[in-house]
Amino acid sequence: MDGTTAAKDMTLVVTGASGRTGSRVARAAEAAGMTVRPASRATGFDWADRTTWQSVLRGADAAYLMHPADVGAPGTAAA
């Protein structure tokens, strides 16, 4: 199986899919034939509520995780 065929069978969860980097990742994944599952509070994913993570990630083959806070913001490293 070549890489293109494998990509077409993949589901990618993308946090921040409407943001600067997440939207680029989502577009590139869709162009490669992947199924993109955007993850946000609007779709039931909340960084602050770990109980929402499992259902959003279930069945996905990969994930692009974009934390909403700046890497230097208080509490980001712990999250």
Side-chain angles (χ1 to χ4, degrees):
M1 180 179 325
D2 66 35
T4 304
T5 303
K8 289 184 181 187
D9 295 332
M10 292 184 69
T11 297
L12 174 67
V13 171
V14 179
T15 62
S18 62
R20 191 176 329 158
T21 61
S23 63
R24 292 176 184 164
V25 170
R27 281 193 308 271
E30 287 173 340
M34 293 180 179
T35 299
V36 173
R37 185 184 310 158
S40 67
R41 282 175 289 204
T43 63
F45 179 85
D46 186 349
W47 274 109
D49 183 358
R50 290 180 181 214
T51 65
T52 66
W53 299 4
Q54 185 177 13
S55 63
V56 170
L57 295 169
R58 185 177 292 120
D61 298 293
Y64 174 78
L65 304 174
M66 181 64 200
H67 194 272
D70 183 88
V71 72
T76 299

